[in-house]
Amino acid sequence: MNTLQTKAEQRLIADYYDDLARTFGQRISDEGKERIQKAFEFANSAHAGVKRKSGEPYIIHPLAVAHIVSSEIGLGATSIISAILHDVVEDTDYTLEDIENLFGEKVSKVVDGLTKLSDEITSTHDSKQATNFRKMLMTLSDDVRVILIKLADRLHNMRTLDSMQPNKQLKIAAETLYIFAPLAHRLGLYTIKTELEDLSLKYTHPETYSQILFRLHSQKERRDYLVEEFIAPIESQLKSENINFNISGRLKSVFSIWNKMQTKGVSFDEVYDLMAIRIVFNPKNNLSEKRQCFDILSIITDIYKPKPDRIRDWITIPKANGYEALHVTVMGPQGKWVEVQIRTQRMDEIAERGFAAHYKYKGDETPESELDRWLEKIREMLQNPESDALEFLDEFKMNLYSSEIIVFTPKGEMVNLPKGSTIIDFAYEIHTDLGNHCIGAKINHKLVPVSHVLQSGDQVEILTSKTQLPDISWLKFIITAKAKGKVKQAFKLDKKRHLEKGREIIEEKLKKHNIKPSSDTLKKLSSYYNLSNKDQLYAQVGMGFLELDELESILKTRRENKLAKFWTLSFGWNKKDKPEEKQFEFPKRKIDKKGTFILKENPEESNYSLAKCCQPIPGEEVLGYINSNNHVIIHKRNCPEANKLMSQQGDRIITAEWTKFKKRSYLSHIKLNGFDRVGILNEVTTIISKQNNINMRTVMFDTHDGIFEGDLYLYIHNVEDLKNLIARLMKIKGIDSVLRIESIEE
């Protein structure tokens, strides 16, 4: 009995352990259960007296993670023990040596992979988040279970995120969306991936999340009726064919609905495929699974007409994470498109629990899979000593989503590549020498350049020349981490030369503006281009990736009645005009990272500026990023750049809120389209001129074959005014859509 815990706490802990034990079943041997019990008693004693932010005893968290590992991923005793012990080394006085002595080398290695880095190990300019993640991935070389347990750990943290401070919630949610959800997807853990995405949205966009949830709930009865109407004839036909099956409706996740609304620019009501119907059947022994899946597809398309371009065969060629299924979209009752997924029970288990768990830890004799090849690519990336942690994280992110195109070698061998891959990506995928000497390719006997983007089904013959060498410009269009790594490796000997060349270019350009290349100035420039330090800045400029074309606009003095600037750099005037150098700086204001940063109408008084990448408007959901000059840059919460900053430099993220803005206006771009008719332009401009607080800068209309497109550039005070205007414009007869365009070229 632990004297540091109350009786109520002891009862709560016992209940959690009993819940965990109920998930074991026949999967865990008696010896395994004894080892798990021993690990629990050890961890409970080690964490005794420690509380989580929620006020619960700390041991509840490791037990909850172990529960996810056991019941939702289906891993064995070693993984469950590692999950129970995953915070012991980091948070208590016990060492990895103690863990190895008590529970063996395997558990010790997994726990080591799950233990975060100490501050001393992290280099000064690398993000601690990124470095921790790289270290965790290094254990992939030995044991993929580290990642699976880490995903379970993250899932429980997301489920209990309510007790964290708002800025921590933002950091953890964005990191989850940027790395952990795609990682779960890559490892085939679809259920976990979906929950991670939904929970991330709940904390990054709480209002939007609640609205979508409410709309889904309010339409439930109508949806249930449509599902019953749709599946009735299919059920009847499958039964008559003596097929042992289960059919169910699966609702699109909140995140995927929101994502479609964002990427397609549509409203909730326009997301047509909210529902998917899933048929899971028990295959007969005397026929192949693939044949039986296509038989069921034939039954469905006899009842409902299929959409020709929406049949997906993931059985002949499974996805990179092992996912197998047949998908078809058909025209259902009441003119609604419905997606139907056809799987065997085996395929369904792989889809729900993940291919990694299925074949690695159940003793299946599986030939080398796409997942194995992916893990091998990650190991190659990890062995490249040249990439820093932030660069590695970006490259790893590019490799997370499943391969989307399939191309063929001249001999007919199949190669999987990410969508958007070029001739160079393909060449390096085959062999390093082929990539290094590539001068072009032939696709279907037609000559194409090295930058040509491949399409699924292309048969590619690489053309080489002994005199050809890797070209630094290739980095502008190649997308696979392997190709990028090989090209960078070829240029690593020139790194010093690039740094020197970049330094000379920057100093020359600053000299033209009479500005000294002080560390403060270089910090501001690095921050402006989202680089970690001056060396990265020099290298990017030296290799020709940064032209510094915006230098003049970055260095201009403050302009009245314009959009707020990121910052104002120190200026030097010509000695004839001014006898001494004068400094323009934002007043330094102490920033409370835990509190909410209030955005006042005068940005210079408040020490903030608006990000150019997403152009936030007063009233929108925003957050702040504290740059190296202690200046706050305001981003929209759904800005991809903000998402990247939160996942890599989350400790610099703060929550932010607007005050009421009355004087300062912000430039916004609205795009209209619809059917042209006499007087429509006049109606649009009349509505704008009648709405208070909005001024027109530019109005451009173009008509073609009875369809018009319009671009409006308006000065507005806040997002409410913009929403009201959009609602009024949508009521004009003939207008089909009104969209706000977020990036503005001034």
Side-chain angles (χ1 to χ4, degrees):
M1 181 170 147
N2 206 315
T3 53
L4 292 170
Q5 293 164 347
T6 65
K7 285 186 178 178
E9 286 173 344
Q10 287 169 7
R11 275 198 303 275
L12 180 70
I13 293 165
D15 287 345
Y16 265 85
Y17 184 75
D18 290 344
D19 283 345
L20 171 63
R22 277 193 283 273
T23 67
F24 298 160
Q26 299 300 309
R27 212 164 29 89
I28 309 294
S29 66
D30 289 343
E31 186 261 339
K33 287 173 187 172
E34 281 175 26
R35 288 175 64 226
I36 292 167
Q37 174 81 30
K38 177 185 170 186
F40 161 63
E41 287 167 4
F42 173 73
N44 192 22
S45 169
H47 291 300
V50 182
K51 298 276 198 294
R52 291 193 86 208
K53 286 267 196 304
S54 58
E56 291 177 327
Y58 193 88
I59 188 65
I60 297 293
H61 168 65
L63 286 175
V65 173
H67 193 286
I68 295 167
V69 163
S70 178
S71 67
E72 297 180 46
I73 305 179
L75 298 181
T78 299
S79 301
I80 295 167
I81 291 164
S82 302
I84 291 170
L85 301 174
H86 80 269
D87 278 335
V88 167
V89 174
E90 190 187 339
D91 295 341
T92 74
D93 294 332
Y94 289 101
T95 64
L96 279 169
E97 199 178 336
D98 297 329
I99 301 289
E100 187 173 340
N101 290 337
L102 285 164
F103 302 99
E105 189 184 354
K106 273 188 182 176
V107 170
S108 167
K109 275 192 173 176
V110 176
V111 171
D112 183 31
L114 291 161
T115 303
K116 297 185 189 77
L117 292 175
S118 64
D119 287 329
E120 300 84 70
I121 300 173
T122 311
S123 67
T124 51
H125 67 269
D126 270 355
S127 153
K128 189 175 171 189
Q129 275 170 288
T131 315
N132 278 331
F133 200 79
R134 181 174 182 156
K135 182 202 174 205
M136 182 183 74
L137 285 171
M138 280 177 157
T139 54
L140 275 172
S141 314
D142 311 311
D143 208 327
V144 78
R145 285 176 290 195
V146 173
I147 305 295
L148 298 171
I149 298 166
K150 188 68 186 172
L151 284 166
D153 176 41
R154 178 52 57 119
L155 179 58
H156 185 248
N157 283 336
M158 289 300 294
R159 285 173 178 173
T160 56
L161 206 53
D162 276 335
S163 55
M164 300 291 278
Q165 291 160 354
N167 65 318
K168 292 279 187 191
Q169 288 177 343
L170 278 179
K171 170 193 166 179
I172 293 166
E175 188 182 67
T176 300
L177 203 54
Y178 189 77
I179 290 292
F180 288 97
L183 189 54
H185 171 83
R186 186 62 193 227
L187 293 171
L189 300 163
Y190 283 99
T191 314
I192 287 177
K193 170 224 174 197
T194 302
E195 190 177 348
L196 287 174
E197 286 176 339
D198 281 0
L199 288 169
S200 296
L201 188 66
K202 179 183 172 183
Y203 290 101
T204 52
H205 299 281
E207 282 185 27
T208 310
Y209 176 82
S210 302
Q211 284 167 6
I212 295 173
L213 215 53
F214 174 76
R215 295 290 296 274
L216 287 173
H217 183 71
S218 64
Q219 294 179 6
K220 187 176 184 300
E221 277 187 32
R222 182 167 166 268
R223 213 167 40 240
D224 289 348
Y225 172 75
L226 282 172
V227 169
E228 284 173 25
E229 191 183 352
F230 179 84
I231 66 176
I234 298 174
E235 272 188 322
S236 169
Q237 194 60 37
L238 291 175
K239 282 174 182 171
S240 70
E241 299 274 345
N242 294 321
I243 294 168
N244 180 3
F245 70 96
N246 176 44
I247 188 165
S248 59
R250 182 189 64 84
L251 194 59
K252 212 175 183 74
S253 73
V254 177
F255 178 83
S256 60
I257 292 168
W258 174 80
N259 198 39
K260 184 158 259 190
M261 287 164 67
Q262 296 291 307
T263 53
K264 305 276 186 191
V266 296
S267 67
F268 177 88
D269 296 319
E270 292 171 293
V271 180
Y272 68 81
D273 53 348
L274 286 176
M275 284 297 298
I277 303 298
R278 184 174 293 162
I279 299 168
V280 180
F281 70 99
N282 195 6
K284 295 166 186 169
N285 293 329
N286 56 341
L287 281 172
S288 76
E289 288 185 349
K290 178 179 169 179
R291 164 90 180 271
Q292 291 176 69
C293 286
F294 272 94
D295 285 346
I296 292 173
L297 173 72
S298 177
I299 289 168
I300 292 163
T301 53
D302 282 346
I303 301 167
Y304 298 114
K305 292 290 174 281
K307 198 175 185 183
D309 60 338
R310 291 292 295 174
I311 294 176
R312 298 281 183 268
D313 176 8
W314 301 116
I315 298 173
T316 307
I317 303 169
K319 284 190 180 183
N321 51 27
Y323 179 84
E324 292 175 73
L326 206 52
H327 290 194
V328 61
T329 299
V330 296
M331 179 57 78
Q334 300 182 26
K336 301 282 184 189
W337 288 111
V338 182
E339 184 183 78
V340 182
Q341 301 170 354
I342 304 161
R343 305 173 181 171
T344 64
Q345 286 174 348
R346 178 190 66 80
M347 293 173 191
D348 191 55
E349 186 175 351
I350 292 172
E352 293 306 304
R353 286 199 161 178
F355 197 50
H358 184 77
Y359 89 98
K360 283 274 186 188
Y361 304 108
K362 295 193 177 183
D364 290 356
E365 287 298 320
T366 311
E368 188 195 32
S369 69
E370 183 63 34
L371 186 73
D372 288 320
R373 289 194 284 275
W374 176 71
L375 292 176
E376 190 51 49
K377 283 180 194 172
I378 298 302
R379 287 181 199 122
E380 277 181 30
M381 284 165 62
L382 287 162
Q383 284 158 11
N384 176 11
E386 289 300 303
S387 71
D388 62 32
L390 286 170
E391 192 178 295
F392 167 77
L393 201 56
D394 281 344
E395 290 179 357
F396 175 76
K397 177 90 167 81
M398 285 192 297
N399 279 264
L400 271 179
Y401 284 105
S402 305
S403 303
E404 290 188 62
I405 66 163
I406 292 153
V407 291
F408 296 90
T409 68
K411 291 181 178 177
E413 290 165 3
M414 200 169 72
V415 178
N416 278 28
L417 287 168
K419 197 172 182 178
S421 291
T422 63
I423 297 297
I424 295 291
D425 292 302
F426 175 81
Y428 275 113
E429 192 64 30
I430 305 299
H431 197 278
T432 302
D433 282 347
L434 209 58
N436 286 341
H437 301 296
C438 177
I439 55 168
K442 279 187 178 179
I443 294 178
N444 310 325
H445 311 295
K446 186 183 171 188
L447 201 61
V448 293
V450 290
S451 59
H452 178 83
V453 176
L454 296 165
Q455 302 297 317
S456 215
D458 282 346
Q459 190 165 16
V460 188
E461 181 190 347
I462 297 294
L463 304 173
T464 60
S465 163
K466 286 180 182 177
T467 57
Q468 175 72 341
L469 292 170
D471 190 329
I472 199 78
S473 66
W474 291 355
L475 290 173
K476 291 181 179 178
F477 56 78
I478 57 180
I479 71 162
T480 60
K482 183 175 184 179
K484 284 193 170 197
K486 296 293 183 187
V487 173
K488 283 176 183 173
Q489 219 169 347
F491 283 90
K492 70 180 177 184
L493 299 172
D494 292 337
K495 193 172 181 181
K496 198 172 177 183
R497 185 172 59 82
H498 290 312
L499 286 173
E500 193 55 40
K501 186 181 174 186
R503 189 179 65 78
E504 285 172 13
I505 293 169
I506 289 170
E507 286 182 2
E508 189 61 38
K509 293 214 176 197
L510 288 174
K511 194 176 177 182
K512 284 181 184 175
H513 296 278
N514 293 327
I515 293 173
K516 293 176 182 175
S518 65
S519 60
D520 195 37
T521 300
L522 294 169
K523 259 186 191 175
K524 288 169 183 173
L525 283 171
S526 302
S527 190
Y528 181 84
Y529 290 108
N530 292 315
L531 300 170
S532 301
N533 54 31
K534 67 176 183 182
D535 280 357
Q536 278 194 6
L537 179 70
Y538 288 155
Q540 293 281 310
V541 173
M543 288 190 286
F545 294 140
L546 279 184
E547 302 290 343
L548 294 183
D549 291 338
E550 301 102 325
L551 195 63
E552 195 174 340
S553 64
I554 300 167
L555 304 176
K556 275 183 184 173
T557 50
R558 296 172 296 186
R559 291 178 293 169
E560 292 300 315
N561 301 320
K562 278 287 180 184
L563 289 174
K565 292 291 154 282
F566 273 83
W567 49 69
T568 310
L569 290 172
S570 304
F571 274 80
W573 275 266
N574 191 305
K575 298 288 181 195
K576 292 173 187 173
D577 301 329
K578 296 273 179 182
E580 57 187 37
E581 195 176 86
K582 189 173 178 180
Q583 299 285 327
F584 267 138
E585 287 187 351
F586 285 110
K588 292 285 183 282
R589 168 183 164 195
K590 193 177 178 188
I591 297 164
D592 176 13
K593 289 187 180 179
K594 293 179 183 176
T596 298
F597 187 83
I598 303 299
L599 302 167
K600 296 178 183 175
E601 190 147 13
N602 184 352
E604 293 168 16
E605 180 192 314
S606 301
N607 189 30
Y608 77 86
S609 51
L610 306 181
K612 291 181 178 177
C613 48
C614 56
Q615 298 287 350
I617 292 176
E620 290 185 305
E621 288 184 327
V622 289
L623 53 86
Y625 167 69
I626 306 167
N627 73 8
S628 54
N629 198 37
N630 206 36
H631 178 68
V632 180
I633 301 166
I634 302 300
H635 287 266
K636 288 175 68 171
R637 287 197 180 187
N638 62 348
C639 167
E641 191 56 45
N643 213 14
K644 188 174 167 182
L645 288 169
M646 284 189 282
S647 4
Q648 296 182 352
Q649 300 180 51
D651 294 335
R652 291 173 170 266
I653 297 296
I654 53 172
T655 52
E657 275 182 21
W658 305 92
T659 50
K660 193 76 176 167
F661 278 53
K662 294 177 182 175
K663 295 176 189 172
R664 188 173 281 266
S665 58
Y666 295 83
L667 189 63
S668 291
H669 177 191
I670 292 176
K671 195 172 258 307
L672 311 169
N673 70 33
F675 296 99
D676 189 26
R677 62 178 174 80
V678 176
I680 196 165
L681 173 58
N682 189 42
E683 282 185 52
V684 168
T685 54
T686 302
I687 281 178
I688 296 168
S689 60
K690 280 184 178 175
Q691 186 151 342
N692 295 334
N693 304 327
I694 294 183
N695 293 312
M696 285 182 276
R697 188 184 88 167
T698 315
V699 176
M700 293 183 289
F701 267 65
D702 184 33
T703 61
H704 183 68
D705 293 339
I707 303 293
F708 82 88
E709 279 194 358
D711 288 282
L712 309 175
Y713 289 86
L714 313 167
Y715 284 110
I716 66 135
H717 288 296
N718 57 58
V719 77
E720 279 308 309
D721 290 346
L722 187 62
K723 283 180 181 173
N724 291 337
L725 176 66
I726 289 172
R728 294 176 75 179
L729 291 173
M730 280 300 291
K731 289 177 183 174
I732 296 174
K733 186 183 174 186
I735 286 189
D736 182 56
S737 73
V738 184
L739 291 174
R740 176 185 165 204
I741 309 299
E742 290 180 2
S743 57
I744 296 176
E745 292 175 16
E746 285 199 83

